[in-house]
Amino acid sequence: MTNTIKNMDELAKASGVSRPTVSKYFHDPDSVRASTRERIEAAIRAHDYRPNIYAINQNRKLTKNVGIVVPHLADPFFAEIARAIEQLCIEAGFSPTMYSSYGDAQQEIEILDSLRSLKPAGVLLAPLGHDSDLKRLEKFCKSVPTVLVDSNIQGLGEAFIGSDNASFVNQTVEYLVRTGEPPLFFEMETPSNPNADHRRETYIAKMDSMGFEPEIVGVPGKGWNFEEIGYRGAHDLLDKGIPKRSILCSNDRLAIGFLSAAYERGLTVGRQPGDTLRLASNDDHPYARFTCPSLTTAAHDYEAVSTHSVRTLVERIEQGSALRTRQETRYPARLVLRNSS
Amino acid sequence: MTNTIKNMDELAKASGVSRPTVSKYFHDPDSVRASTRERIEAAIRAHDYRPNIYAINQNRKLTKNVGIVVPHLADPFFAEIARAIEQLCIEAGFSPTMYSSYGDAQQEIEILDSLRSLKPAGVLLAPLGHDSDLKRLEKFCKSVPTVLVDSNIQGLGEAFIGSDNASFVNQTVEYLVRTGEPPLFFEMETPSNPNADHRRETYIAKMDSMGFEPEIVGVPGKGWNFEEIGYRGAHDLLDKGIPKRSILCSNDRLAIGFLSAAYERGLTVGRQPGDTLRLASNDDHPYARFTCPSLTTAAHDYEAVSTHSVRTLVERIEQGSALRTRQETRYPARLVLRNSS
DNA sequence: TAAAAAATTTAACGCGCGATAAGTTTGACC
DNA sequence: GGTCAAACTTATCGCGCGTTAAATTTTTTA
């Protein structure tokens, strides 16, 4: 008796209203009179009715779906960004779906391809960067309102919202210099993300401007096992002796690997007089508090990036195909002092 | 000229076949003659056509969708399980979608509710456990073929596939006893997962059977910030002096917090003669290799769990509503010896 | 209380595809 | 060359809803 309702027609009859009115109700509950709204809602509750999504989306010009695409969900940084964005999308009345390309450009394209057939209202995309298939990405961005997050690709999408890499590195370099000595820059030889390039460039510029000689160590290794790469790279580096007392890692995951290697070698890392090394990094990874020693790092403004990017996408969706000028927004970092330097 | 094709009718005309044949092709490309298959595929390529998912799913009795629901995607353990399962589902010809309840029972229910309207062929569910709304969960499992993963709930779903908690703890306890002394068990006072209970029970039973007195420390704290909880709990514990030389943590994330606290206190953890503490744990968290010292732990058989659970679900889907007896499968752990004990 | 405005009803079409039945063509085989 | 099954075509219905237009009712406003 409670589950005999299969479609809107029956729901309409059960609640004593016409089907177009019920349809209107689902489109916007406030568009019907309070009295009819209550009748409809009573029937919905009584029969546990939910409209058929597929029938809805087939006929609507625009769905309420949004895609969230990140390079690697197993990376806590992206997991956190994705979580925040997902929540905000729900609050804005959309149905977000999360996708991860797991560092694979081919999969990134496949995700976007299958996303296209979901006719999403919009997409929040944190692209792989260098590895991405730019032509396919560009084609996609032209067919679906897309906002780029975290990693920028020139001219692509409606807008870019991310973190200001220069702010990160300037603060960490400044801090290390002010409280000790100019740092060596420790990074991946072939980073899988454009942000790494900006960090390197900022490091060089900053060192130059302060009158120091930039010194960069690029460790080999591909893929997304950054800790492993940092670990091996640190061992290789330290095999040749300690190059400098201060080290700045391009990102926290490399630093985690570095600290692990340093620990194994019995090197003490920190700002105490007896310590052999000082280490700082960027990102404020969720585990940066729990490394040994805890990691001095520059923190993203997760909340600002996620709220701004969702807000931008929603605005873009609501005002239709209004092509404003593409805006790029970069939020500064917040230096977090811990025990590693 | 290339994008004038909107539906199957036009695609059929463009390729010179009838629409039912095209429909048949999409259902199973091998069900049409090779020559017509080529003609269709040529037209698809030429016009970049993709069938409308919503129209397809509206009419199919069963969709090809499967839901993957985990308690917390930001936890690397679940991120890894979800990734593996997602990949296997794709290979099996399904369209997986990932959902995370982020530790919130209310959200777990909402996910399942919205999942229901996607008419999924099946669901792979790693339930929250204690916190889950069992009645709603039960209702859901009756309406959608569901396979439980990682965390079992008696009688729920078609099957359960997870890890054998007893195997984990038996191995870690045995190892600690054999190479040193019986361990203290370090866990959360109110764990958010039934697996923790099984681990505790196994610890007690194992200690009893070996003739030792079980000793358990339950640290306060709620939520999913296990590292933080372990960190604070360790400090509290160590404030009262070192209770025992061997400590077994219920899971790696607690251990990561513990190691961080121990490091801050200048305690050396390991199996060397001079070390003050030995620490072991369970899960083989992706970062267990990079803690300081690296963590001795019991590893899940990720691959076995994920392949078996996907295979079970696919079988269940393909053989319709064949109600076999519910099976529970638990894979044993693999002890990973590192430097913490 | 009448007129205007808002809400609702009735009727009907379309979306893109699944599915089926009956007739027609194709290709393999002896 | 004839036979027959497999493959294909034509025709047609239905899915559950969006959407629209015109007619009707209800509520608000003057």
Side-chain angles (χ1 to χ4, degrees), chain B residues 59-201:
Chain B
N59 299 311
R60 255 213 259 278
K61 18 206 149 183
L62 212 57
T63 70
K64 278 287 188 176
N65 297 332
V66 309
I68 302 170
V69 185
V70 297
H72 213 287
L73 258 184
D75 185 320
F77 168 71
F78 289 112
E80 172 58 21
I81 279 278
R83 191 199 59 75
I85 288 180
E86 187 186 22
Q87 193 56 44
L88 291 167
C89 286
I90 292 174
E91 285 167 13
F94 292 88
S95 296
T97 307
M98 286 171 39
Y99 300 90
S100 168
S101 55
Y102 297 110
D104 180 20
Q106 180 59 29
Q107 223 179 318
E108 186 174 67
I109 289 301
E110 280 168 16
I111 287 169
L112 295 181
D113 265 355
S114 71
L115 208 45
R116 215 170 41 125
S117 64
L118 284 181
K119 298 183 181 173
V123 168
L124 288 148
L125 170 64
L128 279 171
H130 296 313
D131 292 338
S132 290
D133 185 337
L134 296 186
K135 289 214 164 188
R136 306 284 297 270
L137 234 56
E138 199 177 344
K139 193 178 163 194
F140 177 82
C141 290
K142 278 177 183 163
S143 65
V144 178
T146 304
V147 167
L148 257 53
V149 184
D150 179 62
S151 182
N152 190 26
I153 296 180
Q154 276 305 324
L156 228 62
E158 305 289 326
F160 166 73
I161 292 99
S163 292
D164 181 2
N165 289 296
S167 161
F168 280 68
V169 176
N170 279 331
Q171 288 190 58
T172 42
V173 170
E174 244 166 42
Y175 169 74
L176 289 173
V177 169
R178 175 159 41 89
T179 60
E181 44 190 73
L184 170 95
F185 191 70
F186 185 83
E187 66 165 352
M188 282 171 68
E189 200 175 47
T190 51
S192 40
N193 191 293
N195 290 325
D197 300 329
H198 299 143
R199 290 178 181 180
R200 182 193 322 106
E201 289 157 11

Side-chain angles (χ1 to χ4, degrees), chain A residues 286-287 289-290, chain B residues 186-192 217-238 249-261:
Chain A
Y287 289 2
R289 290 186 50 189
F290 303 105
Chain B
F186 185 83
E187 66 165 352
M188 282 171 68
E189 200 175 47
T190 51
S192 40
V217 171
V219 302
K222 285 217 153 198
W224 283 73
N225 289 319
F226 298 166
E227 295 85 6
E228 173 73 21
I229 292 168
Y231 171 84
R232 292 200 185 165
H235 269 311
D236 286 349
L237 178 65
L238 297 172
C249 291
S250 181
N251 66 65
D252 283 356
R253 294 184 59 190
L254 285 175
I256 288 172
F258 196 112
L259 286 176
S260 177

Side-chain angles (χ1 to χ4, degrees), chain A residues 275-333:
Chain A
D275 296 329
T276 29
L277 269 181
R278 302 173 69 225
L279 191 90
S281 180
N282 303 286
D283 285 343
D284 197 25
H285 187 290
Y287 289 2
R289 290 186 50 189
F290 303 105
T291 54
C292 302
S294 59
L295 192 56
T296 289
T297 183
H300 291 266
D301 192 340
Y302 286 90
E303 200 191 320
V305 170
S306 49
T307 55
H308 190 162
S309 52
V310 172
R311 185 157 35 82
T312 303
L313 182 64
V314 170
E315 280 172 7
R316 168 61 183 78
I317 290 172
E318 283 174 352
Q319 68 187 197
S321 56
L323 301 178
R324 304 162 317 190
T325 58
R326 183 177 186 275
Q327 291 208 358
E328 301 188 351
T329 311
R330 293 178 176 79
Y331 286 95

